[in-house]
Amino acid sequence: MGGYNIIKDVAFTCACGHGLTVDVQYSYGGLWLYEYRIGDAIQWDGMVEGAPGAGLVVAWGTAVATCPRCGKVADANFDVHIKNDVIESVEEFSGKYSYNIADAPYWVRVE
């Protein structure tokens, strides 16, 4: 993943069942290490991936975290839902979307 942004404090459940929060990296919008939270509008300046006002877009997100309960290092993937340039939700990877993670883009337009 080249340029990216970060979504802070995303809920994640470790394989051991312990809940924790992670920071998810994703590449869509203006890519300048912007830090967002769910519900924030994304920026469209600098290096850009995608196009503003694209309706519903789902971007591939990734995070690495160490579980404080079991000590396992989780390399987790996420579906980042962006609707009308607002981060609507972040869900654990569903396998429903075909991201081209070997090469950009790391997102799909859904509607």
Side-chain angles (χ1 to χ4, degrees):
M1 187 180 291
Y4 64 91
N5 297 315
I6 300 165
I7 304 172
K8 303 290 285 178
D9 302 326
V10 174
F12 173 71
T13 303
C14 179
C16 73
H18 184 68
L20 57 148
T21 58
V22 295
D23 294 342
V24 175
Q25 297 177 2
Y26 76 101
S27 293
Y28 188 79
L31 306 178
W32 198 252
L33 296 177
Y34 289 117
E35 291 187 358
Y36 296 111
R37 296 193 187 287
I38 294 171
D40 287 348
I42 61 175
Q43 301 291 319
W44 286 99
D45 56 348
M47 186 172 63
V48 171
E49 180 68 43
L56 178 60
V57 171
V58 182
W60 170 64
T62 186
V64 176
T66 302
C67 178
R69 178 193 280 169
C70 70
K72 179 180 178 188
V73 176
D75 184 5
N77 293 301
F78 295 85
D79 295 325
V80 177
H81 297 257
I82 302 165
K83 188 167 187 175
N84 299 321
D85 302 331
V86 174
I87 299 169
E88 197 171 66
S89 65
V90 180
E91 301 169 358
E92 290 186 43
F93 181 71
S94 66
K96 180 178 177 181
Y97 306 99
S98 296
Y99 307 114
N100 185 6
I101 58 176
D103 191 21
Y106 304 106
W107 54 273
V108 294
R109 185 169 182 215
V110 179
E111 46 174 67

